[in-house]
Coordinates of all heavy atoms in Angstrom, one line a residue:
M59 N -7.6 26.1 -1.3 CA -8.1 24.8 -1.7 C -9.4 24.5 -1.1 O -9.6 24.7 0.1 CB -7.0 23.7 -1.3 CG -5.7 24.0 -2.0 SD -5.0 22.4 -2.6 CE -4.5 21.7 -1.0
K60 N -10.3 24.0 -1.9 CA -11.6 23.6 -1.3 C -12.2 22.4 -2.1 O -11.7 22.1 -3.2 CB -12.6 24.7 -1.3 CG -12.8 25.4 -2.7 CD -13.7 26.6 -2.5 CE -13.8 27.5 -3.8 NZ -13.8 26.8 -5.1
L61 N -13.2 21.8 -1.5 CA -13.8 20.6 -2.2 C -14.7 21.1 -3.4 O -15.2 22.3 -3.3 CB -14.6 19.9 -1.2 CG -13.8 19.1 -0.1 CD1 -14.7 18.6 1.0 CD2 -13.1 17.9 -0.7
P62 N -14.9 20.3 -4.4 CA -15.7 20.7 -5.6 C -17.2 20.9 -5.2 O -17.6 20.2 -4.3 CB -15.5 19.6 -6.6 CG -15.1 18.4 -5.8 CD -14.3 18.9 -4.6
L63 N -17.8 21.7 -6.0 CA -19.3 21.8 -5.8 C -20.0 21.3 -7.1 O -19.4 21.3 -8.2 CB -19.7 23.3 -5.7 CG -19.1 24.1 -4.5 CD1 -19.4 25.6 -4.7 CD2 -19.6 23.6 -3.2
C64 N -21.2 21.0 -7.0 CA -22.0 20.5 -8.2 C -22.1 21.8 -9.1 O -22.5 22.8 -8.7 CB -23.4 20.1 -7.8 SG -24.5 19.8 -9.2
P65 N -21.7 21.6 -10.4 CA -21.8 22.7 -11.4 C -23.2 23.1 -11.7 O -23.4 24.2 -12.3 CB -21.0 22.2 -12.6 CG -21.2 20.7 -12.5 CD -21.2 20.4 -11.1
Y66 N -24.1 22.3 -11.4 CA -25.6 22.6 -11.7 C -26.3 23.3 -10.6 O -26.9 24.3 -10.8 CB -26.3 21.4 -12.2 CG -25.6 20.7 -13.3 CD1 -24.9 19.6 -13.2 CD2 -25.7 21.2 -14.6 CE1 -24.2 18.9 -14.2 CE2 -25.1 20.6 -15.7 CZ -24.4 19.5 -15.5 OH -23.7 18.8 -16.6
C67 N -26.2 22.6 -9.4 CA -27.1 23.2 -8.3 C -26.2 23.7 -7.2 O -26.7 24.3 -6.2 CB -28.0 22.1 -7.8 SG -27.1 20.8 -7.0
G68 N -24.9 23.6 -7.3 CA -24.0 24.2 -6.3 C -24.0 23.4 -5.0 O -23.4 23.9 -4.0
A69 N -24.5 22.1 -5.0 CA -24.5 21.3 -3.9 C -23.0 21.0 -3.4 O -22.1 20.8 -4.2 CB -25.2 20.0 -4.1
R70 N -22.8 20.9 -2.1 CA -21.5 20.6 -1.6 C -21.4 19.0 -1.5 O -22.4 18.4 -1.3 CB -21.4 21.2 -0.1 CG -21.2 22.6 -0.1 CD -21.2 23.2 1.3 NE -21.2 24.7 1.2 CZ -20.1 25.4 1.0 NH1 -19.0 24.8 0.8 NH2 -20.2 26.7 0.9
F71 N -20.2 18.6 -1.6 CA -19.9 17.2 -1.5 C -19.0 17.0 -0.3 O -18.1 17.8 0.0 CB -19.2 16.6 -2.8 CG -20.1 16.6 -3.9 CD1 -20.4 17.7 -4.7 CD2 -20.8 15.4 -4.2 CE1 -21.3 17.7 -5.7 CE2 -21.6 15.3 -5.3 CZ -21.9 16.5 -6.1
L72 N -19.2 15.8 0.4 CA -18.4 15.5 1.5 C -17.1 14.9 1.1 O -17.0 14.3 0.0 CB -19.1 14.5 2.4 CG -20.4 15.1 3.1 CD1 -21.1 14.0 3.8 CD2 -20.1 16.2 4.0
Y73 N -16.1 15.1 1.9 CA -14.7 14.6 1.6 C -14.7 13.2 1.2 O -14.1 12.8 0.2 CB -13.8 14.9 2.9 CG -12.4 14.4 2.6 CD1 -11.5 15.3 2.1 CD2 -12.0 13.2 3.0 CE1 -10.2 14.9 1.9 CE2 -10.7 12.7 2.8 CZ -9.8 13.6 2.3 OH -8.5 13.2 2.0
P74 N -15.3 12.2 1.9 CA -15.3 10.8 1.5 C -15.9 10.6 0.1 O -15.4 9.7 -0.6 CB -16.1 10.0 2.5 CG -16.3 11.0 3.6 CD -16.1 12.4 3.1
D75 N -16.9 11.3 -0.3 CA -17.5 11.2 -1.6 C -16.6 11.6 -2.7 O -16.5 11.0 -3.7 CB -18.8 12.0 -1.7 CG -19.9 11.6 -0.7 OD1 -19.9 10.4 -0.4 OD2 -20.6 12.5 -0.2
V76 N -15.9 12.8 -2.5 CA -15.0 13.3 -3.4 C -13.8 12.3 -3.6 O -13.4 12.0 -4.7 CB -14.5 14.7 -3.0 CG1 -13.5 15.2 -4.1 CG2 -15.7 15.6 -2.9
R77 N -13.4 11.8 -2.5 CA -12.2 10.9 -2.5 C -12.5 9.6 -3.2 O -11.7 9.1 -4.0 CB -11.8 10.6 -1.0 CG -10.5 9.8 -0.9 CD -10.0 9.9 0.5 NE -8.9 8.9 0.6 CZ -7.6 9.2 0.0 NH1 -7.4 10.3 -0.6 NH2 -6.7 8.3 0.2
K78 N -13.7 9.1 -3.0 CA -14.1 7.9 -3.6 C -14.2 8.0 -5.2 O -13.9 7.1 -5.9 CB -15.5 7.5 -3.1 CG -15.7 6.0 -2.9 CD -17.0 5.6 -2.3 CE -18.0 6.6 -1.9 NZ -19.2 6.2 -1.3
A79 N -14.6 9.2 -5.7 CA -14.8 9.4 -7.1 C -13.6 10.1 -7.7 O -13.7 10.5 -8.9 CB -16.0 10.2 -7.3
Q80 N -12.4 10.2 -7.0 CA -11.4 11.1 -7.5 C -10.7 10.6 -8.8 O -10.1 11.3 -9.5 CB -10.3 11.3 -6.5 CG -9.5 10.1 -6.1 CD -8.6 10.4 -4.9 OE1 -8.7 11.4 -4.2 NE2 -7.7 9.5 -4.6
N81 N -10.8 9.2 -9.1 CA -10.3 8.7 -10.3 C -11.3 8.4 -11.4 O -10.9 7.9 -12.4 CB -9.5 7.4 -10.0 CG -8.3 7.7 -9.1 OD1 -7.5 8.7 -9.3 ND2 -8.0 6.9 -8.1
E82 N -12.5 8.8 -11.1 CA -13.6 8.6 -12.1 C -13.6 9.8 -13.1 O -13.0 10.9 -12.8 CB -15.0 8.6 -11.5 CG -15.0 7.6 -10.3 CD -15.3 6.2 -10.7 OE1 -15.8 6.0 -11.8 OE2 -14.8 5.3 -10.0
N83 N -14.2 9.6 -14.2 CA -14.4 10.7 -15.2 C -15.7 11.4 -15.1 O -15.9 12.6 -15.5 CB -14.2 10.2 -16.7 CG -12.8 9.8 -16.9 OD1 -11.8 10.5 -16.5 ND2 -12.6 8.6 -17.5
R84 N -16.7 10.7 -14.6 CA -18.1 11.3 -14.5 C -18.6 11.0 -13.1 O -18.2 10.0 -12.5 CB -19.0 10.6 -15.5 CG -18.6 10.6 -17.0 CD -19.2 11.8 -17.6 NE -18.4 12.2 -18.8 CZ -18.7 11.8 -20.0 NH1 -19.7 11.0 -20.3 NH2 -18.0 12.2 -21.0
G85 N -19.5 11.8 -12.7 CA -20.2 11.6 -11.4 C -21.6 12.1 -11.5 O -22.0 12.8 -12.4
V86 N -22.4 11.6 -10.5 CA -23.8 12.0 -10.5 C -24.1 12.8 -9.2 O -23.7 12.3 -8.2 CB -24.8 10.8 -10.6 CG1 -26.2 11.2 -10.5 CG2 -24.5 10.0 -11.8
C87 N -24.7 13.9 -9.3 CA -25.0 14.7 -8.2 C -26.2 14.1 -7.4 O -27.2 13.9 -8.0 CB -25.4 16.2 -8.6 SG -26.0 17.2 -7.2
P88 N -26.1 13.8 -6.2 CA -27.2 13.2 -5.4 C -28.3 14.2 -5.1 O -29.4 13.7 -4.8 CB -26.5 12.7 -4.1 CG -25.3 13.6 -3.9 CD -24.9 14.0 -5.3
H89 N -28.1 15.5 -5.3 CA -29.1 16.5 -5.0 C -30.0 16.7 -6.3 O -31.2 16.7 -6.2 CB -28.4 17.8 -4.6 CG -27.7 17.6 -3.3 ND1 -28.3 17.8 -2.1 CD2 -26.4 17.2 -3.1 CE1 -27.4 17.5 -1.1 NE2 -26.2 17.2 -1.7
C90 N -29.3 17.0 -7.5 CA -30.2 17.3 -8.6 C -30.2 16.2 -9.6 O -30.9 16.2 -10.6 CB -29.7 18.6 -9.3 SG -28.0 18.5 -9.9
G91 N -29.4 15.1 -9.4 CA -29.4 13.9 -10.3 C -28.7 14.1 -11.6 O -28.8 13.2 -12.5
K92 N -28.1 15.3 -11.8 CA -27.4 15.5 -13.1 C -26.0 14.9 -13.1 O -25.4 14.8 -12.1 CB -27.4 17.0 -13.4 CG -28.8 17.6 -13.8 CD -28.6 19.0 -14.1 CE -30.0 19.6 -14.5 NZ -30.1 21.0 -14.5
I93 N -25.5 14.6 -14.3 CA -24.2 14.0 -14.5 C -23.2 15.1 -14.8 O -23.5 16.0 -15.6 CB -24.2 13.0 -15.7 CG1 -25.2 11.8 -15.3 CG2 -22.8 12.5 -15.9 CD1 -25.5 10.9 -16.5
F94 N -22.1 15.1 -14.1 CA -21.0 16.1 -14.3 C -19.7 15.4 -14.6 O -19.5 14.2 -14.4 CB -20.9 17.0 -13.1 CG -20.8 16.3 -11.8 CD1 -19.6 15.8 -11.4 CD2 -21.9 16.1 -10.9 CE1 -19.4 15.0 -10.2 CE2 -21.7 15.4 -9.7 CZ -20.5 14.9 -9.3
R95 N -18.8 16.3 -15.1 CA -17.5 15.8 -15.5 C -16.6 16.1 -14.3 O -16.7 17.0 -13.6 CB -17.0 16.7 -16.7 CG -15.9 16.2 -17.5 CD -15.8 17.0 -18.8 NE -15.7 18.4 -18.6 CZ -14.5 19.0 -18.4 NH1 -13.3 18.3 -18.6 NH2 -14.4 20.3 -18.3
I96 N -15.7 15.1 -14.1 CA -14.7 15.2 -13.0 C -13.4 15.5 -13.6 O -12.9 14.7 -14.4 CB -14.7 13.9 -12.1 CG1 -16.1 13.6 -11.5 CG2 -13.7 14.0 -11.0 CD1 -16.2 12.4 -10.7
F97 N -12.7 16.6 -13.2 CA -11.4 16.8 -13.7 C -10.6 17.4 -12.5 O -10.9 17.5 -11.4 CB -11.5 17.8 -14.9 CG -12.1 19.1 -14.6 CD1 -11.3 20.2 -14.6 CD2 -13.5 19.2 -14.5 CE1 -11.9 21.5 -14.4 CE2 -14.1 20.4 -14.3 CZ -13.2 21.6 -14.2
G98 N -9.4 17.9 -12.9 CA -8.5 18.4 -11.9 C -7.1 17.8 -11.9 O -6.4 17.9 -10.9
R99 N -6.8 17.2 -13.1 CA -5.4 16.6 -13.2 C -4.3 17.7 -13.0 O -3.3 17.4 -12.5 CB -5.3 15.9 -14.6 CG -6.3 14.9 -14.9 CD -5.8 13.5 -14.6 NE -6.8 12.5 -15.0 CZ -7.7 12.0 -14.2 NH1 -7.8 12.5 -12.9 NH2 -8.6 11.1 -14.5
A100 N -4.6 18.9 -13.5 CA -3.6 20.0 -13.5 C -3.3 20.3 -12.0 O -2.2 20.4 -11.6 CB -4.0 21.2 -14.3
G101 N -4.4 20.4 -11.3 CA -4.2 20.8 -9.8 C -3.5 19.7 -9.1 O -2.6 20.0 -8.2
R102 N -3.7 18.4 -9.5 CA -3.1 17.3 -8.8 C -1.6 17.3 -9.1 O -0.7 17.1 -8.3 CB -3.7 16.0 -9.3 CG -3.4 14.8 -8.4 CD -4.0 13.5 -8.9 NE -5.4 13.5 -8.9 CZ -6.1 12.5 -9.1 NH1 -5.5 11.3 -9.2 NH2 -7.4 12.5 -9.2
F103 N -1.3 17.6 -10.4 CA 0.1 17.7 -10.9 C 0.9 18.8 -10.1 O 2.0 18.6 -9.6 CB 0.2 18.0 -12.4 CG 1.6 18.1 -12.9 CD1 2.3 17.0 -13.1 CD2 2.2 19.4 -13.1 CE1 3.7 17.1 -13.5 CE2 3.5 19.5 -13.6 CZ 4.2 18.3 -13.8
V104 N 0.2 20.0 -9.9 CA 0.9 21.1 -9.2 C 1.1 20.6 -7.7 O 2.2 20.9 -7.1 CB 0.0 22.3 -9.2 CG1 0.5 23.4 -8.3 CG2 -0.1 22.9 -10.6
L105 N 0.1 19.9 -7.1 CA 0.2 19.5 -5.8 C 1.4 18.5 -5.6 O 2.2 18.6 -4.7 CB -1.1 18.7 -5.3 CG -1.1 18.1 -4.0 CD1 -1.0 19.1 -2.9 CD2 -2.4 17.3 -3.8
Y106 N 1.5 17.6 -6.6 CA 2.6 16.6 -6.6 C 3.9 17.3 -6.7 O 4.9 17.0 -6.0 CB 2.5 15.6 -7.7 CG 1.5 14.5 -7.5 CD1 0.7 14.0 -8.5 CD2 1.4 13.9 -6.2 CE1 -0.2 12.9 -8.2 CE2 0.5 12.9 -5.9 CZ -0.3 12.4 -7.0 OH -1.2 11.4 -6.8
A107 N 4.1 18.3 -7.6 CA 5.3 19.0 -7.9 C 5.7 19.8 -6.7 O 6.9 19.7 -6.2 CB 5.2 19.9 -9.1
V108 N 4.8 20.5 -6.1 CA 5.1 21.4 -5.0 C 5.5 20.5 -3.8 O 6.5 20.8 -3.1 CB 3.9 22.3 -4.6 CG1 4.1 23.0 -3.3 CG2 3.7 23.4 -5.7
S109 N 4.8 19.5 -3.5 CA 5.1 18.6 -2.4 C 6.4 17.9 -2.5 O 7.1 17.7 -1.6 CB 3.9 17.7 -2.0 OG 3.6 17.0 -3.2
A110 N 6.7 17.5 -3.8 CA 8.0 16.8 -4.0 C 9.1 17.7 -3.7 O 10.1 17.3 -3.0 CB 8.1 16.3 -5.5
L111 N 9.1 19.0 -4.1 CA 10.1 19.9 -3.9 C 10.2 20.2 -2.4 O 11.3 20.3 -1.8 CB 9.8 21.2 -4.6 CG 10.0 21.3 -6.1 CD1 9.6 22.6 -6.7 CD2 11.5 21.0 -6.4
L112 N 9.0 20.3 -1.7 CA 9.0 20.5 -0.3 C 9.7 19.4 0.5 O 10.5 19.6 1.4 CB 7.5 20.7 0.2 CG 7.1 22.1 0.6 CD1 5.6 22.1 0.7 CD2 7.7 22.5 1.9
L113 N 9.3 18.2 0.1 CA 9.9 17.0 0.8 C 11.4 16.9 0.6 O 12.1 16.5 1.5 CB 9.2 15.7 0.3 CG 7.8 15.4 0.9 CD1 7.2 14.2 0.2 CD2 8.0 15.1 2.4
I114 N 11.8 17.2 -0.6 CA 13.3 17.2 -0.9 C 13.9 18.2 0.0 O 15.0 17.9 0.7 CB 13.6 17.5 -2.4 CG1 13.1 16.2 -3.2 CG2 15.1 17.7 -2.6 CD1 13.1 16.5 -4.7
G115 N 13.3 19.4 0.1 CA 13.9 20.5 0.9 C 13.9 20.1 2.4 O 15.0 20.3 3.1
I116 N 12.9 19.4 2.9 CA 12.8 19.0 4.3 C 13.9 17.9 4.5 O 14.6 18.0 5.5 CB 11.4 18.5 4.6 CG1 10.4 19.6 4.6 CG2 11.4 17.8 6.0 CD1 9.0 19.2 4.7
N117 N 14.0 17.0 3.6 CA 15.0 16.0 3.8 C 16.4 16.5 3.8 O 17.3 16.1 4.5 CB 14.9 14.9 2.6 CG 13.8 13.9 2.9 OD1 13.6 13.5 4.1 ND2 13.1 13.4 1.9
L118 N 16.7 17.5 2.9 CA 18.0 18.1 2.9 C 18.3 18.8 4.2 O 19.4 18.7 4.7 CB 18.1 19.1 1.7 CG 18.2 18.5 0.3 CD1 18.2 19.6 -0.8 CD2 19.4 17.7 0.2
C119 N 17.3 19.5 4.8 CA 17.5 20.1 6.1 C 17.7 19.1 7.2 O 18.6 19.3 8.0 CB 16.3 21.0 6.4 SG 16.1 22.4 5.4
L120 N 16.9 18.0 7.1 CA 17.1 17.0 8.2 C 18.4 16.3 8.1 O 19.0 15.9 9.2 CB 16.0 15.9 8.0 CG 14.6 16.3 8.4 CD1 13.6 15.2 8.1 CD2 14.6 16.6 9.9
M121 N 19.0 16.2 6.9 CA 20.3 15.5 6.8 C 21.4 16.3 7.5 O 22.4 15.7 7.8 CB 20.6 15.4 5.3 CG 20.1 14.1 4.7 SD 20.7 13.8 3.0 CE 19.3 14.0 2.1
K122 N 21.1 17.6 7.7 CA 22.2 18.4 8.4 C 22.2 18.2 9.9 O 23.1 18.6 10.5 CB 21.9 19.9 8.0 CG 22.2 20.2 6.6 CD 22.1 21.7 6.3 CE 22.4 22.0 4.9 NZ 21.4 23.0 4.3
L123 N 21.1 17.6 10.4 CA 21.0 17.4 11.8 C 21.9 16.2 12.2 O 21.9 15.2 11.4 CB 19.5 17.1 12.2 CG 18.5 18.2 12.0 CD1 17.2 17.7 12.4 CD2 18.9 19.4 12.8
P124 N 22.6 16.3 13.3 CA 23.4 15.2 13.7 C 22.7 13.9 14.0 O 23.2 12.7 13.9 CB 24.2 15.7 14.9 CG 23.5 16.9 15.3 CD 22.7 17.4 14.2
S125 N 21.4 14.1 14.5 CA 20.6 12.9 14.9 C 19.9 12.3 13.7 O 19.2 11.2 13.9 CB 19.6 13.3 16.0 OG 18.8 14.3 15.4
A126 N 20.0 12.8 12.5 CA 19.2 12.3 11.4 C 19.8 11.0 10.9 O 21.0 10.8 10.9 CB 19.2 13.3 10.3
N127 N 18.9 10.1 10.5 CA 19.4 8.8 9.8 C 18.4 8.5 8.8 O 17.4 9.2 8.6 CB 19.6 7.7 10.9 CG 18.3 7.4 11.6 OD1 17.3 7.4 11.1 ND2 18.4 7.3 12.9
L128 N 18.6 7.4 8.1 CA 17.8 7.0 6.9 C 16.3 6.8 7.4 O 15.4 7.1 6.6 CB 18.4 5.8 6.2 CG 18.1 5.7 4.7 CD1 18.6 7.0 4.0 CD2 18.7 4.5 4.2
T129 N 16.2 6.2 8.6 CA 14.8 5.9 9.0 C 14.0 7.2 9.2 O 12.9 7.2 8.8 CB 14.9 5.1 10.4 OG1 15.9 4.1 10.3 CG2 13.6 4.6 10.8
V130 N 14.7 8.2 9.8 CA 14.0 9.4 10.0 C 13.6 10.0 8.7 O 12.4 10.4 8.5 CB 14.9 10.5 10.8 CG1 14.3 11.8 10.9 CG2 15.2 9.9 12.2
L131 N 14.5 10.0 7.7 CA 14.2 10.6 6.4 C 13.0 9.8 5.8 O 12.1 10.4 5.1 CB 15.4 10.6 5.5 CG 16.6 11.4 6.0 CD1 17.7 11.3 5.0 CD2 16.2 12.8 6.3
L132 N 13.1 8.5 5.9 CA 12.1 7.7 5.3 C 10.7 7.9 5.9 O 9.7 8.1 5.2 CB 12.5 6.2 5.5 CG 11.8 5.2 4.5 CD1 12.3 5.5 3.1 CD2 12.1 3.8 4.9
V133 N 10.6 8.0 7.2 CA 9.4 8.3 7.9 C 8.8 9.6 7.5 O 7.6 9.8 7.2 CB 9.6 8.2 9.5 CG1 8.3 8.7 10.2 CG2 9.8 6.8 9.9
V134 N 9.6 10.7 7.5 CA 9.2 12.0 7.0 C 8.6 11.9 5.6 O 7.6 12.5 5.3 CB 10.3 13.0 7.1 CG1 10.0 14.3 6.4 CG2 10.7 13.2 8.6
T135 N 9.3 11.2 4.7 CA 8.9 11.2 3.3 C 7.5 10.4 3.2 O 6.6 10.8 2.5 CB 10.0 10.4 2.5 OG1 11.2 11.1 2.6 CG2 9.5 10.4 1.0
I136 N 7.4 9.3 4.0 CA 6.2 8.5 3.9 C 5.0 9.4 4.5 O 3.9 9.4 3.9 CB 6.3 7.2 4.7 CG1 7.2 6.3 3.9 CG2 4.9 6.5 5.0 CD1 7.7 5.0 4.7
L137 N 5.2 10.1 5.6 CA 4.2 11.0 6.1 C 3.8 12.0 5.1 O 2.7 12.4 5.0 CB 4.8 11.6 7.5 CG 4.7 10.7 8.7 CD1 5.3 11.4 9.9 CD2 3.3 10.3 9.0
G138 N 4.8 12.6 4.5 CA 4.6 13.7 3.5 C 3.7 13.2 2.4 O 2.8 13.8 1.9
V139 N 4.0 11.9 1.8 CA 3.3 11.3 0.8 C 1.8 11.1 1.2 O 0.9 11.3 0.5 CB 3.9 10.1 0.2 CG1 3.1 9.3 -0.7 CG2 5.3 10.4 -0.4
A140 N 1.7 10.6 2.5 CA 0.4 10.3 3.0 C -0.5 11.6 3.1 O -1.7 11.6 2.7 CB 0.5 9.7 4.4
V141 N 0.1 12.7 3.5 CA -0.5 14.0 3.6 C -1.0 14.5 2.2 O -2.1 14.9 2.0 CB 0.3 15.1 4.3 CG1 -0.3 16.5 4.1 CG2 0.5 14.7 5.8
V142 N -0.1 14.3 1.2 CA -0.4 14.7 -0.1 C -1.6 13.9 -0.7 O -2.5 14.5 -1.3 CB 0.9 14.5 -1.1 CG1 0.4 14.6 -2.5 CG2 1.9 15.5 -0.7
R143 N -1.6 12.6 -0.4 CA -2.7 11.8 -0.9 C -4.0 12.2 -0.3 O -5.1 12.2 -0.9 CB -2.5 10.3 -0.5 CG -1.4 9.7 -1.4 CD -1.1 8.3 -1.0 NE -2.3 7.5 -1.3 CZ -2.5 6.9 -2.4 NH1 -1.7 7.0 -3.4 NH2 -3.6 6.1 -2.6
L144 N -4.0 12.7 1.0 CA -5.2 13.2 1.7 C -5.7 14.5 1.1 O -6.9 14.8 1.2 CB -4.9 13.4 3.2 CG -4.8 12.1 4.0 CD1 -4.4 12.5 5.4 CD2 -6.0 11.3 4.0
L145 N -4.8 15.3 0.5 CA -5.1 16.6 -0.1 C -5.7 16.5 -1.5 O -6.2 17.4 -2.0 CB -3.9 17.5 -0.1 CG -3.4 18.0 1.3 CD1 -2.1 18.8 1.1 CD2 -4.5 18.8 2.0
I146 N -5.5 15.3 -2.2 CA -6.0 15.2 -3.6 C -7.4 15.6 -3.8 O -7.7 16.3 -4.7 CB -5.7 13.8 -4.1 CG1 -4.2 13.6 -4.3 CG2 -6.4 13.5 -5.4 CD1 -3.7 12.2 -4.7
P147 N -8.4 15.2 -2.9 CA -9.8 15.6 -3.2 C -9.9 17.1 -3.3 O -10.8 17.6 -4.0 CB -10.5 15.1 -1.9 CG -9.7 13.9 -1.6 CD -8.3 14.2 -1.8
Y148 N -9.0 17.9 -2.7 CA -9.2 19.3 -2.7 C -8.7 19.9 -4.1 O -8.9 21.1 -4.4 CB -8.3 20.0 -1.6 CG -8.9 19.7 -0.2 CD1 -8.4 18.7 0.5 CD2 -10.0 20.4 0.2 CE1 -8.9 18.3 1.7 CE2 -10.6 20.1 1.4 CZ -10.0 19.0 2.2 OH -10.6 18.7 3.4
T149 N -8.0 19.1 -4.9 CA -7.7 19.6 -6.3 C -8.6 19.1 -7.3 O -8.5 19.5 -8.5 CB -6.2 19.0 -6.6 OG1 -6.4 17.5 -6.8 CG2 -5.2 19.2 -5.6
I150 N -9.7 18.3 -6.9 CA -10.7 17.8 -7.9 C -11.7 19.0 -8.2 O -12.0 19.7 -7.3 CB -11.4 16.6 -7.3 CG1 -10.4 15.5 -7.0 CG2 -12.5 16.2 -8.2 CD1 -9.9 14.7 -8.2
R151 N -12.1 19.0 -9.4 CA -13.2 20.0 -9.8 C -14.2 19.3 -10.6 O -13.9 18.4 -11.3 CB -12.5 21.2 -10.6 CG -11.7 22.1 -9.8 CD -12.5 22.9 -8.8 NE -11.7 23.5 -7.8 CZ -11.5 23.0 -6.6 NH1 -12.0 21.9 -6.2 NH2 -10.8 23.7 -5.7
Y152 N -15.5 19.7 -10.4 CA -16.6 19.2 -11.1 C -17.1 20.2 -12.2 O -17.2 21.4 -11.8 CB -17.7 18.8 -10.2 CG -17.5 17.7 -9.2 CD1 -18.3 17.5 -8.1 CD2 -16.4 16.8 -9.5 CE1 -18.0 16.5 -7.2 CE2 -16.1 15.8 -8.6 CZ -16.9 15.6 -7.5 OH -16.7 14.6 -6.6
G153 N -17.3 19.8 -13.4 CA -17.8 20.7 -14.4 C -18.9 20.1 -15.2 O -19.1 18.9 -15.2
P154 N -19.7 21.0 -15.9 CA -20.8 20.5 -16.7 C -20.3 19.7 -17.9 O -19.2 20.0 -18.4 CB -21.6 21.8 -17.1 CG -20.6 22.9 -16.9 CD -19.6 22.5 -15.9
L155 N -21.1 18.7 -18.4 CA -20.7 17.9 -19.5 C -20.7 18.8 -20.8 O -21.6 19.6 -20.9 CB -21.6 16.7 -19.6 CG -21.3 15.5 -18.7 CD1 -22.3 14.4 -18.9 CD2 -19.9 15.0 -19.0
Ligands
LIG59 ZN1 -26.4 19.1 -8.3

């Protein structure tokens, strides 16, 4: 998994820039000024699906521990969702219009 590159000039984008534009359809490259298409819904779907299965698996394992309670499971799930949200920019791709 890596951050997207400009499809025209190959410029790299910083994580905050990608994150800010992750729900947009179009973006402008600050290096070459060209407009590109933002996509990656498929990658995001795979990320959600894989992480949901992982979280369910982790929760099932935790439930077997004698010290586990609902708070522990909830915290683990919230942390997992937070991590997944941080990973979304890595599923974004930029393509030519
Ligand atoms: Zn560019």
Side-chain angles (χ1 to χ4, degrees):
M59 295 222 289
K60 55 182 168 45
L61 290 170
L63 301 173
C64 171
Y66 302 105
C67 69
R70 289 175 185 280
F71 289 82
L72 295 175
Y73 180 89
D75 298 329
V76 179
R77 186 164 172 76
K78 219 175 358 180
Q80 69 185 14
N81 292 317
E82 311 277 332
N83 291 317
R84 303 268 158 94
V86 179
C87 175
H89 298 271
C90 63
K92 289 183 177 164
I93 297 167
F94 52 78
R95 197 163 60 90
I96 300 174
F97 62 105
R99 303 260 185 273
R102 197 183 298 190
F103 179 77
V104 170
L105 176 67
Y106 281 144
V108 169
S109 51
L111 286 175
L112 252 164
L113 277 174
I114 291 169
I116 292 170
N117 275 327
L118 286 176
C119 290
L120 283 176
M121 272 189 246
K122 290 184 181 138
L123 298 176
S125 57
N127 57 45
L128 208 60
T129 312
V130 173
L131 299 182
L132 202 66
V133 168
V134 168
T135 304
I136 290 170
L137 281 177
V139 171
V141 168
V142 168
R143 289 179 63 87
L144 289 176
L145 289 177
I146 286 175
Y148 294 98
T149 67
I150 301 287
R151 288 294 165 262
Y152 295 163
L155 279 179

